[in-house]
Amino acid sequence: MSKKEKNKPQAPARPVQEEKANFISMMAKLDSRQRHRILAYLFWLIGIFIILFAYRAS
């Protein structure tokens, strides 16, 4: 082992206190206009995928 490998400083182990935001908590923080816009985009994307899947299945 070289001297560099022996003298590596190790970071102290500390728990990370990050709050993982899930979809429901993110939607709760938005106002009604932003929530409606996001839900409309999701609705249209799901509709497009359904139409494409039906087109490929036929």
Side-chain angles (χ1 to χ4, degrees), residues 28-41:
K29 293 178 184 176
L30 299 175
D31 64 350
S32 62
R33 182 174 290 175
Q34 290 173 329
R35 189 178 305 131
H36 181 264
R37 183 179 296 159
I38 290 173
L39 290 175
Y41 285 141

Side-chain angles (χ1 to χ4, degrees), residues 5-49:
E5 290 178 6
K6 288 181 183 177
N7 296 335
K8 278 188 179 179
Q10 293 186 359
R14 56 183 173 167
V16 178
Q17 296 287 335
E18 288 185 12
E19 180 180 328
K20 294 185 177 180
N22 57 8
F23 184 74
I24 296 171
S25 66
M26 272 183 10
M27 290 294 281
K29 293 178 184 176
L30 299 175
D31 64 350
S32 62
R33 182 174 290 175
Q34 290 173 329
R35 189 178 305 131
H36 181 264
R37 183 179 296 159
I38 290 173
L39 290 175
Y41 285 141
L42 289 175
F43 176 78
W44 281 108
L45 283 173
I46 290 171
I48 289 170
F49 282 123

Side-chain angles (χ1 to χ4, degrees), residues 3-4 9 18 26 47 49 53 55:
K3 291 181 181 178
K4 289 182 181 178
E18 288 185 12
M26 272 183 10
F49 282 123
F53 180 75
Y55 178 73

